[in-house]
Amino acid sequence: MKLGLGLSLPGVAAMGGKPAYRLYASAEFWIDARLNPASGTPVDLTANARTITVGGTPTFSAGSHWVFNGSTDYFEMADDPDLDFSGTDSFTAMVVFTQTGTSAATYMAKRTTVGNSPSESTRGWVLYNPAGGNLALYRGDNAATIEQDSGTWTSGAKTVLALRRTPTTADVTSTATTGSESAITAGDLSNSQVLRIGRLAGAGTQYSGLNLHAAMLWRRALTAAELASIRADFGA
């Protein structure tokens, strides 16, 4: 199986027979500390080979995770139409992380803020923890429609947080809960913001102190069975 930047991924059998690797290879974007080069500079493992800019000085534990210090560290990718979603698009955004404590943290975002005021009109989506051990997703279109799903997680435990969206439903899931599912407005989430991991997009400055194991984005809604295979693959 051939990946971006000339990297090759061993066959599924060589990876312990885990079908999750086929899912990763079909993603629009995928970084994974288990397969990243030892230099620690994050590499998009898909054929898209997107350029990832590093902010701050995150440290790298080869084969395991990046450490974000919670004050200066983050990853960033330039705005790209393939990372945006119209009102008729389905998608899945996922992060795999370990966070100790219950401080607020932004895991991955393509939106300037995390506020859920009905008057806010900024398009986009955010995967984040507003503090207290909660997980939340905010998404909003330019008609000022803001929606939120939430779940919980355990401090110090490896967690897989995934947002699945179709034009009519959204589901935020973690290893601690299946989260909630509710009808949402099929709003346009596209925007001109960068995509950031570990910090808000746009002018936001909310950083995240955590260990980041992986992040992925698909232009389809993964099934519950596919999400379960990924959680099993990460031992989360």
Side-chain angles (χ1 to χ4, degrees), residues 119-153:
S119 64
E120 186 178 352
S121 60
T122 304
R123 297 177 183 178
W125 51 271
V126 179
L127 294 171
Y128 104 121
N129 162 24
N134 296 312
L135 296 171
L137 150 73
Y138 289 116
R139 65 235 174 226
D141 62 23
N142 63 342
T145 299
I146 305 296
E147 303 287 346
Q148 176 184 352
D149 281 326
S150 62
T152 59
W153 58 279

Short mmCIF file of all heavy atoms in Angstrom, two decimals, residues 119-153:
data_model
loop_
_atom_site.label_atom_id
_atom_site.label_comp_id
_atom_site.label_asym_id
_atom_site.label_seq_id
_atom_site.Cartn_x
_atom_site.Cartn_y
_atom_site.Cartn_z
N SER A 119 -26.07 33.94 17.92
CA SER A 119 -25.79 35.07 17.05
C SER A 119 -24.48 34.92 16.30
O SER A 119 -24.16 35.69 15.40
CB SER A 119 -25.75 36.37 17.86
OG SER A 119 -24.68 36.32 18.79
N GLU A 120 -23.69 33.92 16.66
CA GLU A 120 -22.40 33.72 16.02
C GLU A 120 -22.60 33.15 14.62
O GLU A 120 -23.37 32.21 14.42
CB GLU A 120 -21.53 32.78 16.85
CG GLU A 120 -20.12 32.66 16.29
CD GLU A 120 -19.27 31.76 17.16
OE1 GLU A 120 -19.74 31.38 18.24
OE2 GLU A 120 -18.17 31.44 16.75
N SER A 121 -21.93 33.69 13.64
CA SER A 121 -22.17 33.29 12.26
C SER A 121 -20.97 32.65 11.59
O SER A 121 -21.00 32.36 10.40
CB SER A 121 -22.63 34.49 11.42
OG SER A 121 -21.63 35.49 11.43
N THR A 122 -19.89 32.41 12.33
CA THR A 122 -18.70 31.83 11.75
C THR A 122 -18.94 30.38 11.36
O THR A 122 -19.37 29.58 12.16
CB THR A 122 -17.53 31.88 12.74
OG1 THR A 122 -17.33 33.23 13.15
CG2 THR A 122 -16.26 31.35 12.10
N ARG A 123 -18.63 30.07 10.11
CA ARG A 123 -18.79 28.69 9.66
C ARG A 123 -17.66 27.81 10.20
O ARG A 123 -16.57 28.28 10.47
CB ARG A 123 -18.73 28.64 8.13
CG ARG A 123 -19.81 29.38 7.39
CD ARG A 123 -19.53 29.25 5.91
NE ARG A 123 -20.49 29.99 5.11
CZ ARG A 123 -20.43 30.07 3.79
NH1 ARG A 123 -19.45 29.48 3.15
NH2 ARG A 123 -21.34 30.76 3.12
N GLY A 124 -17.92 26.51 10.27
CA GLY A 124 -16.85 25.58 10.58
C GLY A 124 -17.20 24.60 11.66
O GLY A 124 -18.35 24.46 12.05
N TRP A 125 -16.16 23.90 12.17
CA TRP A 125 -16.36 22.86 13.17
C TRP A 125 -15.16 22.81 14.11
O TRP A 125 -14.06 23.22 13.76
CB TRP A 125 -16.58 21.50 12.50
CG TRP A 125 -15.53 21.15 11.48
CD1 TRP A 125 -15.55 21.44 10.14
CD2 TRP A 125 -14.29 20.46 11.72
NE1 TRP A 125 -14.40 20.99 9.54
CE2 TRP A 125 -13.62 20.37 10.47
CE3 TRP A 125 -13.69 19.91 12.86
CZ2 TRP A 125 -12.38 19.76 10.35
CZ3 TRP A 125 -12.44 19.31 12.72
CH2 TRP A 125 -11.81 19.23 11.48
N VAL A 126 -15.41 22.31 15.31
CA VAL A 126 -14.40 22.23 16.36
C VAL A 126 -14.59 20.94 17.14
O VAL A 126 -15.71 20.59 17.50
CB VAL A 126 -14.50 23.42 17.35
CG1 VAL A 126 -13.45 23.31 18.44
CG2 VAL A 126 -14.37 24.75 16.62
N LEU A 127 -13.52 20.23 17.42
CA LEU A 127 -13.51 19.13 18.38
C LEU A 127 -12.73 19.63 19.58
O LEU A 127 -11.54 19.92 19.47
CB LEU A 127 -12.82 17.89 17.79
CG LEU A 127 -13.54 17.21 16.61
CD1 LEU A 127 -12.64 16.16 15.99
CD2 LEU A 127 -14.85 16.61 17.04
N TYR A 128 -13.40 19.71 20.73
CA TYR A 128 -12.68 20.28 21.87
C TYR A 128 -13.30 19.86 23.19
O TYR A 128 -14.34 19.21 23.25
CB TYR A 128 -12.60 21.79 21.69
CG TYR A 128 -13.52 22.67 22.51
CD1 TYR A 128 -12.99 23.63 23.36
CD2 TYR A 128 -14.92 22.58 22.42
CE1 TYR A 128 -13.80 24.47 24.10
CE2 TYR A 128 -15.73 23.42 23.15
CZ TYR A 128 -15.17 24.37 23.99
OH TYR A 128 -15.98 25.20 24.72
N ASN A 129 -12.57 20.21 24.25
CA ASN A 129 -12.99 19.95 25.62
C ASN A 129 -13.14 21.31 26.30
O ASN A 129 -12.15 22.00 26.51
CB ASN A 129 -11.92 19.10 26.33
CG ASN A 129 -12.04 19.14 27.84
OD1 ASN A 129 -13.10 19.40 28.38
ND2 ASN A 129 -10.93 18.89 28.52
N PRO A 130 -14.38 21.70 26.64
CA PRO A 130 -14.57 23.01 27.26
C PRO A 130 -14.20 23.06 28.73
O PRO A 130 -14.50 24.02 29.41
CB PRO A 130 -16.06 23.25 27.07
CG PRO A 130 -16.65 21.89 27.06
CD PRO A 130 -15.64 21.01 26.39
N ALA A 131 -13.55 22.02 29.24
CA ALA A 131 -13.11 21.88 30.64
C ALA A 131 -14.10 21.03 31.41
O ALA A 131 -15.28 20.94 31.08
CB ALA A 131 -12.91 23.21 31.34
N GLY A 132 -13.59 20.39 32.45
CA GLY A 132 -14.43 19.57 33.30
C GLY A 132 -14.56 18.14 32.83
O GLY A 132 -15.38 17.38 33.35
N GLY A 133 -13.74 17.73 31.84
CA GLY A 133 -13.81 16.35 31.39
C GLY A 133 -14.87 16.10 30.35
O GLY A 133 -15.23 14.95 30.09
N ASN A 134 -15.41 17.12 29.74
CA ASN A 134 -16.42 16.96 28.70
C ASN A 134 -15.78 17.06 27.32
O ASN A 134 -14.77 17.72 27.14
CB ASN A 134 -17.50 18.04 28.81
CG ASN A 134 -18.28 17.93 30.09
OD1 ASN A 134 -18.73 16.86 30.46
ND2 ASN A 134 -18.45 19.05 30.77
N LEU A 135 -16.38 16.38 26.37
CA LEU A 135 -15.97 16.49 24.99
C LEU A 135 -17.09 17.19 24.24
O LEU A 135 -18.27 16.92 24.49
CB LEU A 135 -15.74 15.11 24.37
CG LEU A 135 -14.60 14.30 24.98
CD1 LEU A 135 -14.61 12.88 24.45
CD2 LEU A 135 -13.26 14.96 24.70
N ALA A 136 -16.75 18.07 23.33
CA ALA A 136 -17.81 18.80 22.63
C ALA A 136 -17.44 19.02 21.18
O ALA A 136 -16.28 19.11 20.82
CB ALA A 136 -18.05 20.15 23.30
N LEU A 137 -18.47 19.08 20.40
CA LEU A 137 -18.36 19.45 19.00
C LEU A 137 -19.23 20.67 18.76
O LEU A 137 -20.40 20.68 19.17
CB LEU A 137 -18.86 18.30 18.12
CG LEU A 137 -19.47 18.71 16.77
CD1 LEU A 137 -18.37 19.16 15.84
CD2 LEU A 137 -20.30 17.60 16.19
N TYR A 138 -18.67 21.67 18.15
CA TYR A 138 -19.46 22.81 17.69
C TYR A 138 -19.36 22.86 16.18
O TYR A 138 -18.29 22.70 15.61
CB TYR A 138 -18.94 24.13 18.26
CG TYR A 138 -19.20 24.32 19.73
CD1 TYR A 138 -18.14 24.41 20.62
CD2 TYR A 138 -20.50 24.42 20.21
CE1 TYR A 138 -18.38 24.58 21.98
CE2 TYR A 138 -20.74 24.59 21.56
CZ TYR A 138 -19.68 24.68 22.44
OH TYR A 138 -19.91 24.86 23.78
N ARG A 139 -20.47 23.10 15.54
CA ARG A 139 -20.45 23.33 14.12
C ARG A 139 -21.44 24.43 13.81
O ARG A 139 -22.48 24.55 14.47
CB ARG A 139 -20.79 22.07 13.33
CG ARG A 139 -22.22 21.57 13.56
CD ARG A 139 -22.22 20.12 14.01
NE ARG A 139 -23.58 19.70 14.36
CZ ARG A 139 -23.88 19.05 15.44
NH1 ARG A 139 -22.93 18.73 16.29
NH2 ARG A 139 -25.10 18.67 15.69
N GLY A 140 -21.16 25.23 12.83
CA GLY A 140 -22.05 26.33 12.53
C GLY A 140 -21.96 26.73 11.08
O GLY A 140 -20.90 26.63 10.46
N ASP A 141 -23.10 27.14 10.51
CA ASP A 141 -23.08 27.62 9.14
C ASP A 141 -23.28 29.14 9.14
O ASP A 141 -23.40 29.76 10.19
CB ASP A 141 -24.15 26.91 8.29
CG ASP A 141 -25.57 27.17 8.80
OD1 ASP A 141 -25.78 28.19 9.49
OD2 ASP A 141 -26.45 26.36 8.51
N ASN A 142 -23.29 29.71 7.97
CA ASN A 142 -23.36 31.16 7.91
C ASN A 142 -24.78 31.69 8.13
O ASN A 142 -25.02 32.89 8.04
CB ASN A 142 -22.80 31.69 6.59
CG ASN A 142 -23.61 31.20 5.39
OD1 ASN A 142 -24.36 30.24 5.50
ND2 ASN A 142 -23.43 31.85 4.26
N ALA A 143 -25.72 30.81 8.44
CA ALA A 143 -27.06 31.24 8.84
C ALA A 143 -27.16 31.31 10.35
O ALA A 143 -28.24 31.40 10.92
CB ALA A 143 -28.12 30.29 8.29
N ALA A 144 -26.00 31.28 11.02
CA ALA A 144 -25.91 31.38 12.48
C ALA A 144 -26.55 30.20 13.18
O ALA A 144 -27.07 30.31 14.28
CB ALA A 144 -26.53 32.69 12.99
N THR A 145 -26.51 29.04 12.55
CA THR A 145 -27.00 27.82 13.18
C THR A 145 -25.83 27.14 13.89
O THR A 145 -24.88 26.73 13.25
CB THR A 145 -27.60 26.87 12.14
OG1 THR A 145 -28.70 27.53 11.51
CG2 THR A 145 -28.10 25.59 12.79
N ILE A 146 -25.92 27.05 15.21
CA ILE A 146 -24.86 26.44 16.01
C ILE A 146 -25.41 25.18 16.66
O ILE A 146 -26.48 25.20 17.26
CB ILE A 146 -24.35 27.39 17.10
CG1 ILE A 146 -23.90 28.72 16.48
CG2 ILE A 146 -23.22 26.77 17.89
CD1 ILE A 146 -22.73 28.61 15.55
N GLU A 147 -24.70 24.08 16.53
CA GLU A 147 -25.12 22.82 17.14
C GLU A 147 -24.00 22.29 18.01
O GLU A 147 -22.83 22.57 17.78
CB GLU A 147 -25.48 21.79 16.05
CG GLU A 147 -26.56 22.24 15.08
CD GLU A 147 -27.94 22.24 15.71
OE1 GLU A 147 -28.11 21.65 16.80
OE2 GLU A 147 -28.86 22.83 15.11
N GLN A 148 -24.36 21.49 18.99
CA GLN A 148 -23.35 20.90 19.86
C GLN A 148 -23.75 19.49 20.23
O GLN A 148 -24.90 19.20 20.51
CB GLN A 148 -23.19 21.72 21.15
CG GLN A 148 -22.22 21.09 22.14
CD GLN A 148 -22.15 21.84 23.46
OE1 GLN A 148 -22.71 22.90 23.60
NE2 GLN A 148 -21.47 21.26 24.43
N ASP A 149 -22.79 18.58 20.20
CA ASP A 149 -22.92 17.26 20.78
C ASP A 149 -21.84 17.14 21.84
O ASP A 149 -20.82 17.80 21.77
CB ASP A 149 -22.70 16.15 19.74
CG ASP A 149 -23.93 15.93 18.87
OD1 ASP A 149 -25.04 16.08 19.40
OD2 ASP A 149 -23.76 15.60 17.69
N SER A 150 -22.07 16.30 22.82
CA SER A 150 -21.06 16.19 23.87
C SER A 150 -20.98 14.77 24.42
O SER A 150 -21.93 13.99 24.33
CB SER A 150 -21.37 17.16 25.02
OG SER A 150 -22.62 16.83 25.61
N GLY A 151 -19.84 14.45 24.97
CA GLY A 151 -19.63 13.18 25.63
C GLY A 151 -18.65 13.39 26.77
O GLY A 151 -18.37 14.52 27.14
N THR A 152 -18.10 12.34 27.32
CA THR A 152 -17.14 12.45 28.40
C THR A 152 -15.93 11.57 28.12
O THR A 152 -15.97 10.68 27.28
CB THR A 152 -17.76 12.02 29.75
OG1 THR A 152 -18.22 10.66 29.64
CG2 THR A 152 -18.92 12.93 30.12
N TRP A 153 -14.85 11.84 28.84
CA TRP A 153 -13.66 11.03 28.71
C TRP A 153 -12.99 10.91 30.06
O TRP A 153 -13.36 11.59 31.02
CB TRP A 153 -12.70 11.64 27.68
CG TRP A 153 -12.27 13.04 28.00
CD1 TRP A 153 -12.97 14.19 27.77
CD2 TRP A 153 -11.06 13.44 28.66
NE1 TRP A 153 -12.27 15.28 28.23
CE2 TRP A 153 -11.10 14.85 28.77
CE3 TRP A 153 -9.95 12.75 29.15
CZ2 TRP A 153 -10.07 15.58 29.34
CZ3 TRP A 153 -8.93 13.48 29.72
CH2 TRP A 153 -8.99 14.87 29.81
#
